[in-house]
Amino acid sequence: MSRVAKPTDRRSASAMRDIIGRGPSLADTLALRLKEEIVSGHLLPGEKLATEQQISETYGVSRPTVREAIGRLKHDGLVVTRQGAGAFVADPGAVSVFRLDVADFSNKEEIRNIVELLMAVEATATEHAATRRSNKDLKKIQAHLNAMQAAVDRGEPGVEEDLAFHRAIVEAMGNPFFRDLSDFLDRRVRNFIRAARANTARMGGMTHSVQAEHQAIFDAIVRKDAAAARAAAETHLRNAAARLALYLER
Amino acid sequence: MSRVAKPTDRRSASAMRDIIGRGPSLADTLALRLKEEIVSGHLLPGEKLATEQQISETYGVSRPTVREAIGRLKHDGLVVTRQGAGAFVADPGAVSVFRLDVADFSNKEEIRNIVELLMAVEATATEHAATRRSNKDLKKIQAHLNAMQAAVDRGEPGVEEDLAFHRAIVEAMGNPFFRDLSDFLDRRVRNFIRAARANTARMGGMTHSVQAEHQAIFDAIVRKDAAAARAAAETHLRNAAARLALYLER
DNA sequence: AATTTCCTACTTGTCAGGCAACTTGGTTAT
DNA sequence: ATAACCAAGTTGCCTGACAAGTAGGAAATT
């Protein structure tokens, strides 16, 4: 009853722009709006959304645009639609999609939280990789370790080789969720570092200690010593986080 | 000269269905198709996608449908579009959205992997919660512990109270990423258990030992003993996983 | 001849209207 | 009372059109 669509006249295509503000696109922004309504608890699970027609009218956008917006929510598992019936807020327990949005790069708190998650994921992955790795896995890991060493010897930072080394380890764990999540977080953090490094002096000279830490991780994996592997990974990640903290504190 | 779209007659609306197979919706399925093209490396970062017009013709669907599909990819950060220029494959390093899809419920391997991730996240969260929790956090955790006890005394399984207890702990850690991820995984696993329980006998009688494990976690948090908190959480999670394994092995 | 300006075709963003498929609830017929 | 049926409402998808922005070549200027 409360949010019944009042028939906004259609004359201005920019009505939405006024209501909703400037954004990436009408559909995107509308999707955000509707998502708000749901996560804020304004719309309860199972409840029926307004019809596309009504939404179209209340926000002053066309139905295709509304469809695009609802399509996003459907894609994220927040709503389910039934042809002929309508669109309904999905049961939170049945949502099968998790979305991690790491948009705000300038937010240092967010970076810290991301790093924390990365540490947890990679430390555990390394721990399990130690006992599960096949000989083939081990060879791959070693190859990347050597490549990293070669890069260090050439005086290069070897960020790509570094990433590949860690990825090979996580891969050896055999859990795709860990692999994908770790990959994403890793890229994200490195991207931040690269951006931050642009306006600060290079710090360099750390690569040798980094490589020593890598060696310690590798040795533990060779021995299939899970506890040692975890410990070595934690040390490595803690040091990496400390290096990163230097960027954060300015 | 504009390449006039040949007036596709109505019946070929099912052309896509033939090309693309039966699915949730044309847009959804098309989105999957296009995603394939990208992640398979067929389309390289920075490369331009076919125009909406072209895609529309090759797949035999209308442009709005193509737009919906591309909109999904855009939403997931896989492509970026520039009005007037086209749609381009996004740089993987710049992707700021992570998507975790846990669709296949029947896949036991998947459940196992999910549980593994859940264990890593919750154990770490509990560890950090021990040192970071405020007194207010502690009160909340205790309240949920008591509620759980009350449920046990009433002879109920207390799944909701259980979930709330863990959520309060993760909340006390103060990292929203951990909170959201843990919440999602927890729901997912419990949902699986509920589904599995439907066709097996209730196992019950475990609730008392569960509560004892909860108490151990709580005590460690009270003492701000991070290591003990992690250990207690790991024990609890390991036991929970073992209980769950009973469902998996049939 | 080199450079700048401008124009035009192309592409994405959005809108309007329409038909088909499906759901739902009430009405009619049995 | 029950079953079959019908009509309104809703989503799924299509066609056609225009606005807004881009890019590359033609034309004008230096």
Side-chain angles (χ1 to χ4, degrees):
Chain A
M1 226 38 87
S2 53
R3 65 185 82 82
V4 155
K6 51 174 102 158
T8 317
D9 52 345
R10 185 161 262 86
R11 79 178 124 70
S12 66
S14 62
M16 179 71 171
R17 296 247 91 117
D18 296 340
I19 298 174
I20 231 171
R22 203 141 321 255
S25 89
L26 286 185
D28 277 320
T29 330
L30 178 55
L32 264 176
R33 269 298 164 101
L34 297 178
K35 184 176 176 178
E36 276 289 313
E37 294 263 333
I38 294 175
V39 298
S40 72
H42 224 247
L43 245 51
L44 267 56
E47 208 166 343
K48 188 172 167 306
L49 269 70
T51 70
E52 296 178 351
Q53 189 68 250
Q54 289 171 328
I55 297 178
S56 157
E57 283 166 7
T58 54
Y59 287 97
V61 298
S62 72
R63 201 161 80 88
T65 302
V66 173
R67 280 188 61 71
E68 274 197 62
I70 291 183
R72 305 254 205 290
L73 302 185
K74 208 165 45 169
H75 187 55
D76 288 347
L78 267 73
V79 309
V80 290
T81 59
R82 271 165 39 222
Q83 183 172 348
F88 305 83
V89 179
D91 172 18
V95 173
S96 67
V97 177
F98 177 72
R99 231 179 105 87
L100 202 60
D101 244 298
V102 190
D104 198 353
F105 239 146
S106 55
N107 189 343
K108 295 175 181 180
E109 184 64 23
E110 189 154 306
I111 296 289
R112 242 185 293 263
N113 285 335
I114 285 286
V115 170
E116 205 158 61
L117 183 55
L118 175 61
M119 289 174 72
V121 171
E122 281 220 20
T124 307
T126 306
E127 176 184 358
H128 287 127
T131 54
R132 294 182 196 170
R133 97 284 188 294
S134 66
N135 287 336
K136 204 164 156 190
D137 289 329
L138 193 63
K139 280 215 166 61
K140 279 189 201 159
I141 296 171
Q142 182 159 32
H144 288 298
L145 181 70
N146 293 342
M148 175 80 186
Q149 184 62 51
V152 171
D153 290 345
R154 286 197 306 273
E156 295 171 10
V159 284
E160 274 309 317
E161 290 82 355
D162 187 14
L163 202 146
F165 172 71
H166 286 290
R167 187 142 46 183
I169 292 175
V170 178
E171 187 81 50
M173 175 196 184
N175 187 328
F177 294 120
F178 274 79
R179 165 167 50 77
D180 295 344
L181 182 53
S182 160
D183 193 46
F184 171 75
L185 298 172
D186 223 340
R187 282 185 189 280
R188 220 60 206 131
V189 171
R190 279 166 212 274
N191 210 322
F192 168 80
I193 293 177
R194 182 142 31 95
R197 189 171 275 170
N199 13 344
T200 59
R202 281 274 288 100
M203 3 206 7
M206 300 278 197
T207 34
H208 280 89
S209 54
V210 167
Q211 185 64 356
E213 290 163 19
H214 282 180
Q215 187 69 49
I217 295 173
F218 180 72
D219 291 343
I221 293 177
V222 169
R223 300 196 317 270
K224 297 198 175 185
D225 186 340
R230 178 179 196 99
E234 280 180 344
T235 300
H236 177 53
L237 288 162
R238 224 188 328 270
N239 288 341
R243 285 189 280 273
L244 188 127
L246 295 178
Y247 290 114
L248 288 174
E249 290 180 7
R250 65 183 60 230
Chain B
M1 259 307 141
S2 60
R3 176 188 321 106
V4 128
K6 47 179 128 174
T8 323
D9 50 348
R10 239 315 171 295
R11 93 174 110 64
S12 73
S14 61
M16 179 72 172
R17 296 246 92 115
D18 295 340
I19 297 175
I20 231 170
R22 202 142 320 257
S25 88
L26 285 186
D28 276 320
T29 329
L30 180 54
L32 263 176
R33 271 295 166 104
L34 297 176
K35 184 177 178 179
E36 276 290 311
E37 295 262 333
I38 294 175
V39 298
S40 72
H42 226 249
L43 247 51
L44 268 56
E47 210 165 340
K48 188 174 165 305
L49 269 71
T51 69
E52 297 178 351
Q53 189 69 244
Q54 289 171 329
I55 297 178
S56 157
E57 283 166 9
T58 56
Y59 286 97
V61 298
S62 72
R63 204 163 76 85
T65 302
V66 174
R67 282 189 60 71
E68 274 196 62
I70 292 183
R72 305 251 204 293
L73 302 185
K74 209 168 43 170
H75 187 56
D76 288 347
L78 268 72
V79 309
V80 290
T81 59
R82 273 165 38 221
Q83 183 172 348
F88 304 84
V89 179
D91 172 18
V95 173
S96 67
V97 177
F98 177 71
R99 238 180 98 87
L100 201 60
D101 246 297
V102 191
D104 197 353
F105 239 144
S106 55
N107 189 342
K108 295 175 180 179
E109 185 63 24
E110 190 155 307
I111 296 289
R112 243 185 292 263
N113 286 334
I114 284 287
V115 170
E116 204 159 63
L117 184 55
L118 175 61
M119 288 173 72
V121 170
E122 280 219 23
T124 306
T126 307
E127 175 184 358
H128 287 127
T131 54
R132 294 183 195 169
R133 99 285 190 288
S134 66
N135 287 336
K136 203 164 157 190
D137 290 327
L138 194 64
K139 279 215 169 58
K140 279 188 201 160
I141 296 171
Q142 182 158 34
H144 289 296
L145 182 71
N146 293 342
M148 175 81 187
Q149 184 61 52
V152 171
D153 290 344
R154 285 197 306 273
E156 296 171 10
V159 285
E160 275 308 317
E161 290 82 357
D162 187 14
L163 202 145
F165 173 70
H166 287 289
R167 188 142 45 184
I169 292 175
V170 178
E171 187 81 49
M173 176 196 184
N175 186 329
F177 294 120
F178 274 78
R179 165 169 48 77
D180 295 343
L181 183 53
S182 161
D183 192 45
F184 171 75
L185 297 173
D186 223 340
R187 282 184 190 280
R188 220 60 207 130
V189 171
R190 278 165 212 275
N191 212 321
F192 167 79
I193 293 176
R194 182 141 33 95
R197 189 170 277 170
N199 15 344
T200 60
R202 282 274 288 103
M203 1 207 6
M206 300 278 200
T207 34
H208 281 90
S209 55
V210 167
Q211 185 65 355
E213 290 163 20
H214 282 181
Q215 187 68 50
I217 294 172
F218 180 72
D219 290 343
I221 292 176
V222 169
R223 301 196 316 271
K224 296 197 176 186
D225 186 339
R230 177 177 197 99
E234 279 180 345
T235 300
H236 177 53
L237 288 162
R238 225 188 326 271
N239 289 341
R243 282 190 281 274
L244 188 125
L246 295 179
Y247 290 114
L248 288 174
E249 291 180 7
R250 67 181 62 230

